[in-house]
């Protein structure tokens, strides 16, 4: 036994107890006649004391030499502290050390092991094992554990069975790029790492497993944007003999449970928004509804005047910024600059002050009188004291631009409170989306998603308008989960593959096993997958998923700590019947 | 809602209730005037009844057409069954159907969906989704879920934190062959899939995580023996500030909990056996101690007579087969044939009958008198009525041979009761083992295992004799877990790499990050990993791990259901800067 107690549990009730503790030296203060050492482990910090009256000289000397992050073991007596620290769980006591053992020394760490470290991102990643000693990272990992335990216990209680699906599967050309794994035993052939266990969970439904879940790593070889990881974790779920309503209820239940269990927050029944309405009202399929600033479409009230910019636009749309009329002219100019940044891409912004006296002052007063502007206020729900911001142009682009502006303003106004949780369902997503690169429609969700009843024929004539039995769960402006009711009959599935441009041979080669399975009594089924990394980050009130992953990769997909990926031996390549064919 | 109840929950208390059920047609019996259908789902089977008095003609006709594995939904009233079936949870009732909906049809399945199916292994693998509908497979998967939930809840309660470690890591030449994953973003470089999260869990200990676990997939690209899978699941655990005793207690606690919780079996404190003793007494480092038949070494009592076979042997060793004296001469000859099979490899077998009257009759009476043979009986613990079987030869070989014979005889004698559980610790494994192929010592466990205190110097002179702080947990003759106390100081670790034949540069390239980490205050730590597939199979009272894996691979590492691995597109290879370099 290296310790009788941990560094977080001793209190006044232990006074006079002989204890053994072990941990890291957080810091020490040497007053000459007395040395205090903060001893740290996962559970907390306990103060050790050595003083010239009570500590043997030899030990006093060793205590003075203890460096930061030395690993030590001490025996001693719990005594009352002279100056108590009420901000510390163990702040009432300290340990008068009678035995000191140095278990391991430490070089000076490359950054401070403090909540606010002086270490930069790259350095912290290289020495991630030191970064994990810091409370913020350590607590995030413990928090993640609590969330996954809560998820597993909830779903198990609800009758879901966790089934492990394989990691070495088959590459499919649909969707994102696969990571592949050359097979040595099957020369010239490759496994792929799963982007999700989609087909396997459907096969489990065909297999009668009824309610399945799995917390599982998934892999996508995509060019990494900030806060994307090549490997990420899903809470993957599927149910049979259900309709959409059953799924929404089941996973609303899980989410509500987590919010209560983890965050102590009770939420009402989740609002539901059609995809089309989400786009219309928020310019976004994952709206943050912790705050208002809904879009007001102004075509009817702002077009057919003499302002040609608006007249030529497909969409004129505005939002009311609460209390925005306090913005100075200079501040508004800066806002206009902001929307014109390439990342947002607007050409300009029209604004209208709604004064406290009920009058309006817009940047386009030449074209619009007070009565016109009152209609803008009505459409955007503006109140006296607000600022109305209006963008115009191509419908899709302008919605995205105004959505970005809405989020930016909410951030500045402090409306994105990480302790507040506003979940909602966004439903009836389009089945297909047009891809400019390949000039064809792709499945928006995946090719197993069922179209809305009665819309199958529309696929032939207006594929872009077909809606799917697909839904996303959105929390605070983030998609935390998404799913769909699947196709479960072979004919519809074959038709889908056809519409998606698969030849029969391609469909058979890629998904033959699924279409085979559908011949043997597939039940109606559907499911949902949560992005665990994102979910945990949001429940933790933070933005960055990387801080909730023990050993994340950087934006080049590298693990800078272990220095992977790396070259492999020629012999290893040869065994795999592969040769490098470098571009340079 | 597709159903109001499932197919396993209705009983006499529901009589007269209107219910909706959905599931698969297990079978139907058509008596002309009456049709019974067994409706199956994950939860059970409920009998449906259609009869010409109470069922509309049109529905009767459709009921008669229902084929096996059709997916149907029925509404109807729960009624009392005329002839009750006490062997069935729902055997008191049946459903008089008032509405019948066919949700999906089914082709005749390629094998029967029964507990005892007519489907062969290969066919069942190809249609695994149908195999999963069968109770034995379905129940195994549910059993696995229960075990993993129990493990997670136990370890969480004990303060362990589940931390996900990365799947895309770095290839290391030590140990088994890695699966590698070419990186597109880092041209010419490869990730490897982890054989275990060994180094990461050690880094988590350096990071102060204190108690870690993870239920995690691991990967080994080895030539597959029967019942090995290229991907397998570990319960991976690590603790800091512990000694060997703490680890043994912690995981003995987990195992005892599982045996109680899952199997309802209480076991005593686990016996402990030194590796050397396990080899001496059972010829095996994972002895099945559900039964006796311990080895008796006979060198002292059987050598230096005129029997040259024994005199020339390094080891003469026997076991007493309980009640074996009933074997006929012919049966004993067959046993001799059995030990001479190439899989066992003995040259012959000497036997000695211990008659009920206390006399002995051996196959080598020419050389040994009754007094000699009495010593054999004493050494092997034989009782009157037993048969003593004796093998001789090279120590390592003869132990393996006699161990095989011991297991075979126990099997024949019905001593390997799958409902009985006999765990034990095997301890103090050798640190190194000699590899004939490479003519050097390899780490028996892995290069991070610490030698027994004070034995480091022995490494230079007698490396084969150095024992490690390494232990295996053995259950019913299977290694279900293994672990060690790790090296935690940089100097010893560097020394180990040196002894294992790594140059300093190689050690740095492969494990530099770990040795770096050891400079910053690594705590004493150690751990254990359970093989989950094997553990679950044994707790489930079965031998084959494949039956506890939802989608296993065959002995060529192929998933015959999805037909993976498979060829990939030329374009995909090109993106990865790879070319095939086929041997043929």
């Amino acid at each position: 036994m290296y310790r009788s107690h941990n560094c977080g549990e001793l209190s006044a009730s232990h006074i006079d107890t002989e204890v053994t503790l072990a941990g890291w030296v957080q810091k020490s203060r040497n007053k000459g006649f007395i040395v205090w050492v903060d001893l740290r482990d996962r559970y907390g910090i306990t103060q050790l004391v050595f003083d010239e009256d009570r500590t043997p000289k030899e030990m006093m000397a060793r205590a003075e030499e203890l460096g930061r992050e030395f690993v030590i073991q001490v025996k001693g007596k719990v005594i009352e502290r002279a100056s108590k620290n009420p901000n510390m769980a163990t702040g009432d006591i300290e340990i008068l050390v009678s035995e000191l053992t140095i278990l391991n020394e430490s070089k000076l760490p490359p950054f401070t092991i403090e909540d606010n470290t002086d270490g930069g991102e790259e350095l912290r990643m290289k020495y991630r094992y030191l970064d994990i000693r810091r409370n913020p990272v350590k607590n995030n990992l413990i928090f993640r554990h609590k969330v996954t335990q809560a998820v597993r216990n909830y779903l198990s209680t609800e009758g879901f069975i966790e089934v492990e699906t394989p990691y070495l599967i088959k590459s499919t050309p649909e969707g994102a790029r696969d990571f592949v794994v050359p097979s040595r035993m099957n020369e010239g052939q490759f496994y792929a790492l799963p982007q999700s266990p989609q087909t396997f969970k459907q096969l489990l439904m065909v297999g009668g497993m009824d309610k399945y879940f799995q917390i599982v790593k998934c892999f996508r070889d995509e060019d990494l944007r900030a806060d994307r990881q090549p490997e990420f974790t899903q809470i993957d779920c599927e149910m049979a003999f259900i309709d959409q309503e059953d799924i929404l209820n089941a996973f609303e239940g899980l989410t509500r449970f987590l919010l209560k269990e983890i965050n102590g927050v009770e939420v009402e029944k989740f609002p539901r928004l059609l995809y089309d309405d989400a786009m219309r009202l928020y310019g976004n399929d994952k709206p943050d509804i912790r705050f208002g600033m809904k879009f007001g479409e102004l075509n009817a009230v702002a077009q057919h005047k003499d302002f040609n910019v608006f007249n030529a636009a497909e969409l004129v749309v505005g939002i009311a910024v609460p209390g925005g009329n306090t913005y100075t002219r200079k501040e508004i100019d800066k806002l206009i600059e902001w929307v014109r940044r390439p990342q947002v891409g607007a050409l300009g912004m029209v604004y209208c002050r709604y004064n406290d006296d009920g009058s309006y002052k817009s940047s386009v007063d030449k074209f619009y009188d007070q009565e016109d502007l009152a209609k803008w206020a009505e459409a955007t729900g503006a109140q006296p004291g607000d600022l109305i911001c209006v963008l115009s142009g191509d419908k899709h682009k302008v919605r995205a631009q105004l959505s970005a502006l809405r989020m930016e303003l909410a951030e500045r106004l402090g409306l994105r409170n990480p302790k507040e949780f506003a979940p909602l369902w966004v439903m009836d997503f389009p089945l297909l989306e047009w891809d400019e690169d390949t000039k064809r429609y792709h499945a928006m969700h995946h090719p197993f998603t069922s179209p809305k009843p009665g819309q199958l024929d529309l696929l032939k004539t207006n594929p872009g308008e077909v809606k799917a039995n697909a839904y996303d769960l959105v929390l605070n402006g983030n998609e935390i989960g998404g799913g769909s009711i699947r196709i479960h009959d072979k004919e519809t599935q074959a038709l889908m593959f056809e519409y998606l441009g698969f030849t029969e041979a391609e469909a058979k080669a890629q998904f033959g096993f699924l279409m085979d399975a559908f011949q043997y009594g597939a039940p109606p089924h559907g499911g949902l997958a949560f992005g665990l990394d994102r979910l945990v980050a949001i429940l933790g009130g933070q933005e960055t998923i990387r801080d909730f992953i023990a050993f994340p990769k950087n934006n080049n997909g590298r693990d800078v700590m272990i220095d992977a990926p790396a070259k492999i031996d020629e012999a290893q390549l040869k065994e795999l019947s592969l040769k490098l064919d470098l571009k340079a």
Side-chain angles (χ1 to χ4, degrees), chain A:
Chain A
M1 284 285 199
Y2 272 90
R3 57 189 171 193
S4 62
H5 295 78
N6 67 47
C7 294
E9 64 180 312
L10 294 173
S11 65
S13 70
H14 296 88
I15 283 170
D16 283 339
T17 314
E18 287 289 333
V19 298
T20 309
L21 298 182
W24 287 265
V25 173
Q26 175 72 24
K27 61 175 180 213
S28 70
R29 280 160 299 151
N30 185 350
K31 300 269 182 196
F33 59 97
I34 192 161
V35 176
W36 283 290
V37 171
D38 277 358
L39 187 68
R40 186 196 69 234
D41 67 10
R42 186 182 106 194
Y43 312 93
I45 286 181
T46 298
Q47 182 166 292
L48 313 178
V49 62
F50 305 82
D51 73 40
E52 53 182 15
D53 293 340
R54 296 175 288 183
T55 305
K57 244 201 175 75
E58 170 277 334
M59 197 193 301
M60 197 74 192
R62 285 194 296 131
E64 283 171 358
E65 295 298 310
L66 291 175
R68 270 166 54 197
E69 302 307 316
F70 274 41
V71 186
I72 63 172
Q73 182 189 41
V74 295
K75 293 190 186 185
K77 195 198 276 187
V78 182
I79 59 173
E80 191 171 2
R81 239 202 248 194
S83 57
K84 298 195 174 51
N85 181 347
N87 300 319
M88 221 175 141
T90 63
D92 285 351
I93 57 96
E94 59 191 4
I95 311 296
L96 179 65
V97 177
S98 56
E99 258 185 78
L100 165 65
T101 311
I102 296 176
L103 299 173
N104 219 339
E105 301 196 341
S106 175
K107 279 177 36 178
L108 195 68
F111 49 85
T112 53
I113 312 296
E114 303 278 358
D115 290 7
N116 289 309
T117 179
D118 58 359
E121 176 85 3
E122 194 72 5
L123 201 62
R124 287 170 43 215
M125 287 300 143
K126 184 166 163 58
Y127 297 93
R128 185 64 166 176
Y129 43 87
L130 296 180
D131 204 23
I132 290 172
R133 287 188 195 161
R134 295 171 53 243
N135 282 323
V137 181
K138 180 193 77 182
N139 291 340
N140 282 352
L141 296 179
I142 294 175
F143 183 80
R144 183 182 179 115
H145 166 70
K146 281 190 187 147
V147 173
T148 58
Q149 271 295 108
V151 169
R152 282 195 162 98
N153 287 333
Y154 180 88
L155 291 175
S156 298
T157 305
E158 294 287 314
F160 287 80
I161 303 295
E162 184 161 22
V163 180
E164 292 178 54
T165 54
Y167 278 78
L168 297 172
I169 66 166
K170 191 154 110 173
S171 190
T172 68
E174 190 70 2
R177 221 182 261 107
D178 288 320
F179 282 106
V180 297
V181 182
S183 166
R184 184 181 52 86
M185 291 176 72
N186 299 272
E187 202 190 17
Q189 299 186 14
F190 293 76
Y191 302 99
L193 299 177
Q195 296 185 26
S196 90
Q198 182 62 36
T199 49
F200 288 96
K201 68 175 173 176
Q202 294 193 241
L203 292 172
L204 286 171
M205 293 304 105
V206 175
M209 203 39 74
D210 208 71
K211 287 171 153 189
Y212 144 92
F213 83 102
Q214 189 183 188
I215 300 187
V216 63
K217 273 281 175 80
C218 301
F219 305 85
R220 265 179 220 172
D221 183 14
E222 287 180 297
D223 297 326
L224 298 175
R225 283 180 267 156
D227 223 27
R228 280 259 185 131
Q229 290 281 319
E231 47 177 307
F232 55 96
T233 308
Q234 269 185 204
I235 309 169
D236 193 48
C237 308
E238 196 82 1
M239 302 169 79
F241 298 115
I242 44 76
D243 52 31
Q244 181 166 294
E245 196 59 31
D246 298 317
I247 301 258
L248 299 188
N249 286 333
F251 298 105
E252 187 164 324
L254 169 61
T255 311
R256 185 176 285 115
F257 171 78
L258 291 177
L259 286 168
K260 180 85 177 72
E261 183 83 3
I262 303 290
N263 298 89
V265 171
E266 300 260 16
V267 283
E268 300 289 301
K269 191 161 169 51
F270 296 2
R272 297 179 183 185
L273 205 54
L274 296 181
Y275 169 87
D276 285 348
D277 291 336
M279 296 309 288
R280 188 171 52 77
L281 293 172
Y282 301 98
N284 198 311
D285 61 1
K286 42 178 199 282
D288 189 340
I289 59 165
R290 280 175 294 184
F291 54 93
M293 290 200 269
K294 282 187 200 169
F295 289 12
E297 298 198 345
L298 303 178
N299 289 35
V301 296
Q303 288 184 328
H304 314 299
K305 304 276 161 175
D306 292 337
F307 187 43
N308 283 330
V309 174
F310 281 4
N311 291 345
E314 187 185 3
L315 179 67
V316 182
V317 59
I319 51 172
V321 186
N325 196 20
T326 57
Y327 287 18
T328 61
R329 177 60 207 255
K330 208 166 157 187
E331 284 170 329
I332 293 177
D333 283 346
K334 279 212 161 166
L335 214 54
I336 295 173
E337 260 172 54
W338 190 91
V339 299
R340 296 177 66 168
R341 298 185 324 153
Q343 299 95 314
V344 183
L347 292 174
M349 185 183 91
V350 164
Y351 66 89
C352 171
R353 295 174 178 282
Y354 191 168
N355 296 317
D356 290 338
D357 64 7
S359 68
Y360 301 95
K361 177 82 193 80
S362 82
S363 58
V364 285
D365 276 354
K366 204 158 79 171
F367 306 106
Y368 301 95
D369 59 24
Q370 293 287 309
E371 205 175 315
D372 294 328
L373 297 174
K375 287 178 187 158
W376 293 19
E378 194 187 5
T380 57
Q383 300 295 316
D386 289 358
L387 177 76
I388 303 168
C389 298
V390 182
L391 302 181
S392 64
D394 167 79
K395 188 170 74 178
H396 294 295
K397 284 185 187 161
V398 81
R399 281 177 171 169
Q401 292 157 3
L402 192 61
S403 171
L405 178 62
R406 178 177 173 269
M407 296 297 272
E408 172 68 16
L409 287 169
E411 190 68 47
R412 294 187 191 182
L413 289 165
L415 299 174
R416 305 195 65 196
N417 174 5
K419 298 273 162 78
E420 189 186 332
F421 296 96
L424 87 154
W425 290 106
V426 177
M427 308 183 29
D428 294 5
F429 271 74
L431 184 65
L432 306 172
E433 63 185 344
W434 181 254
D435 182 49
E436 268 303 318
D437 290 345
T438 54
K439 298 286 176 205
R440 68 176 182 89
Y441 281 104
H442 283 267
M444 192 164 188
H445 200 59
H446 51 57
F448 317 110
T449 300
S450 64
K452 283 267 152 202
Q455 298 207 339
L456 204 56
D457 287 343
L458 205 59
L459 268 180
K460 287 177 212 159
T461 52
N462 283 42
E465 284 182 17
V466 179
K467 291 294 192 284
N469 289 313
Y471 33 81
D472 275 1
L473 182 52
V474 174
L475 184 58
N476 294 3
N478 293 279
E479 181 208 323
I480 57 165
S484 65
I485 301 298
R486 327 299 183 188
I487 298 166
H488 69 278
D489 65 296
K490 191 176 173 252
E491 291 71 27
T492 311
Q493 189 63 68
L495 216 55
M496 269 301 291
F497 285 133
E498 191 189 322
Y499 289 134
L500 291 172
F502 285 80
T503 67
E504 213 176 301
E506 283 167 350
K508 197 174 151 55
Q510 292 302 328
F511 301 110
F513 59 97
L514 190 68
M515 286 158 83
D516 278 355
F518 282 1
Q519 297 185 309
Y520 293 102
H525 63 288
L528 185 131
F530 289 85
L532 178 68
D533 307 294
R534 172 80 47 211
L535 175 66
V536 170
I538 295 172
L539 294 180
Q542 293 182 36
E543 294 276 315
T544 323
I545 64 170
R546 203 175 282 185
D547 293 342
F548 288 85
I549 297 172
F551 300 101
K553 293 190 171 55
N554 74 7
N555 284 347
N556 293 319
R558 294 198 69 83
D559 183 326
V560 296
M561 181 185 70
I562 65 169
D563 195 25
K567 286 185 182 155
I568 60 173
D569 286 352
E570 200 57 45
Q572 240 172 319
L573 278 173
K574 203 170 172 133
E575 269 198 323
L576 298 169
S577 301
L578 287 177
K579 249 206 259 197
L580 291 185
D581 182 27
L582 302 182
K583 283 163 194 102

